[in-house]
């Protein structure tokens, strides 16, 4: 009888604690209702986009919590999107682990998506960028390209015509031996003080099987192209980014403006 009484008391105590946490959380939420710029109650959409190439670490946890709670503060939605654009590193094992860890943290998204869901759409956007003269194909060796970017030296392929670039992009998509020598770079500003704006790579070959799409694709977009495009496409209203991405924010905005797609607020 005593044990049952103690169990009942513990249950009552836990219920009281849960109720207090709810009240306290609501009070905390009230303090942040005017923090996100341009946020409208009920319309905010945030996202947590981990790459499934490893297990969650403390930095991931912070990002996940911030995106989750801001979505709840504004009675909006949180999307969990796996940024799976690099078959060399990614596995379903990490997808399952990340989802399990998020559940342990009490974080449940309002939708789970994958960048790989949008590979065809991303190919369309890459094609559009090339056809409008805002991207070009380049086969400069990696180390030489890195050195040129550091020294603000333009690639010899930067001035190639659209027809030539489209021909090489077709080879990249096929993953042919010739295509594997090439990548696609955004044609931005090689003289920029921001190194991220010096014609970054947006598409490259990788013929390893993808953990979701198998061998359907032989090349993939980079995070720098995929992130802003899919944020816009999925209806994300606020992209919460840490200081490590500060230099990349300008490039993020360039992609959205250049492709004339819906804007996303960076916070």
């Amino acid at each position: 009888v005593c044990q049952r009484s103690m169990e009942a008391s513990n249950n009552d105590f836990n219920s009281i604690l849960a109720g207090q946490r709810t009240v306290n959380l609501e009070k905390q939420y009230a303090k942040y209702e005017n923090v996100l710029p341009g946020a409208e109650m009920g319309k905010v959409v945030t996202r947590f986009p981990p790459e499934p190439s490893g297990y969650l670490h403390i930095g991931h946890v912070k990002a996940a919590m911030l995106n989750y709670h801001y979505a709840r503060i504004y009675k909006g939605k949180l999307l969990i999107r796996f940024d799976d654009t690099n078959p060399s590193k990614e596995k379903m094992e990490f997808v399952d682990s990340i989802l399990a860890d998020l559940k342990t943290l009490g974080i449940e998204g309002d939708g789970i998506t994958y960048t790989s869901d949008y590979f065809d759409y991303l190919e369309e956007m890459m094609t559009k960028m090339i056809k409008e003269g805002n991207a070009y194909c380049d086969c400069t060796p990696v180390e030489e390209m890195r050195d040129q970017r550091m020294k603000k030296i333009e690639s010899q392929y930067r001035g190639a015509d659209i027809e030539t670039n489209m021909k090489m992009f077709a080879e990249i998509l096929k993953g042919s031996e010739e295509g594997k020598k090439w990548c696609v770079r955004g044609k931005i500003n090689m003289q920029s003080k921001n190194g991220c704006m010096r014609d970054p790579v947006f598409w490259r070959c990788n013929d390893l099987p993808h953990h979701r799409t198998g061998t359907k694709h032989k090349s993939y977009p980079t995070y720098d192209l995929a992130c802003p495009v899919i944020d816009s496409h999925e209806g994300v209203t606020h992209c919460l980014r840490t200081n490590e991405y500060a230099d990349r924010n300008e490039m993020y905005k360039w992609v959205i403006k250049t492709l004339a797609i819906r804007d996303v607020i960076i916070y």
Side-chain angles (χ1 to χ4, degrees):
V1 175
C2 182
Q3 183 177 354
R4 286 199 298 271
S5 178
M6 288 179 64
E7 288 175 351
S9 297
N10 284 337
N11 289 335
D12 290 341
F13 183 64
N14 288 334
S15 296
I16 292 171
L17 283 180
Q20 288 177 342
R21 282 196 294 266
T22 299
V23 172
N24 290 337
L25 195 58
E26 290 176 352
K27 288 181 178 179
Q28 290 296 319
Y29 279 179
K31 298 177 182 179
Y32 294 92
E33 287 183 358
N34 297 312
V35 171
L36 286 185
E40 295 183 47
M41 193 64 68
K43 296 182 179 181
V44 167
V45 180
T46 62
R47 87 289 192 266
F48 174 57
E51 181 184 6
S53 59
Y55 304 106
L56 286 190
H57 54 64
I58 191 66
H60 288 131
V61 172
K62 179 181 177 182
M65 295 292 280
L66 284 172
N67 280 282
Y68 172 75
H69 285 294
Y70 271 117
R72 296 297 172 258
I73 288 167
Y74 289 92
K75 297 178 171 58
K77 295 180 180 180
L78 165 70
L79 300 178
I80 297 172
R81 183 201 312 141
F82 288 97
D83 178 50
D84 53 347
T85 62
N86 187 355
S88 300
K89 299 180 178 180
E90 299 153 0
K91 300 177 182 178
M92 280 304 299
E93 169 193 345
F94 297 129
V95 172
D96 295 338
S97 173
I98 289 170
L99 289 175
D101 286 345
L102 290 176
K103 186 175 181 180
T104 299
L105 291 168
I107 296 174
E108 292 187 20
D110 298 289
I112 298 174
T113 64
Y114 300 78
T115 300
S116 55
D117 294 335
Y118 305 102
F119 281 159
D120 291 339
Y121 175 66
L122 285 159
E123 182 181 324
E124 291 176 17
M125 292 295 100
M126 188 75 269
T127 299
K128 176 182 179 181
M129 194 178 285
I130 294 172
K131 286 186 174 180
E132 292 179 352
N134 295 312
Y136 62 96
C137 294
D138 193 349
C139 68
T140 303
V142 174
E143 290 302 322
E144 184 180 348
M145 185 186 296
R146 184 177 292 119
D147 185 62
Q148 288 179 345
R149 293 186 75 203
M150 287 291 293
K151 297 176 180 177
K152 303 181 181 180
I153 299 172
E154 293 186 2
S155 167
Q156 61 178 310
Y157 301 101
R158 199 175 197 270
D161 58 50
I162 293 172
E163 182 179 358
T164 299
N165 283 318
M166 285 304 301
K167 180 180 178 180
M168 294 317 306
F169 186 44
E171 293 297 317
I172 292 172
L173 293 176
K174 288 190 293 185
S176 67
E177 288 306 310
E178 182 62 25
K180 290 176 184 178
K181 302 174 185 176
W182 296 75
C183 66
V184 185
R185 299 174 65 181
K187 195 173 185 178
I188 308 182
N189 180 8
M190 284 298 292
Q191 303 309 310
S192 175
K193 292 181 179 179
N194 182 350
C196 293
M197 296 295 284
R198 297 175 199 157
D199 295 8
V201 173
F202 282 158
W203 206 283
R204 75 290 198 218
C205 280
N206 189 330
D207 58 5
L208 291 176
H210 189 278
H211 69 278
R212 293 188 74 237
T213 62
T215 57
K216 178 181 178 181
H217 302 281
K218 305 297 182 182
S219 62
Y220 301 90
T222 62
Y223 178 84
D224 289 328
L225 175 71
C227 183
V229 170
I230 304 307
D231 279 353
S232 177
H233 189 67
E234 286 193 326
V236 171
T237 60
H238 292 77
C239 167
L240 276 59
R241 308 188 102 182
T242 57
N243 289 336
E244 67 180 295
Y245 287 97
D247 289 345
R248 294 185 124 76
N249 289 344
E250 186 179 2
M251 176 172 47
Y252 182 105
K253 287 295 188 179
W254 182 89
V255 170
I256 286 177
K257 182 178 180 180
T258 299
L259 290 173
I261 54 181
R262 186 188 62 84
D263 196 12
V264 179
I265 297 171
I266 295 177
Y267 179 71

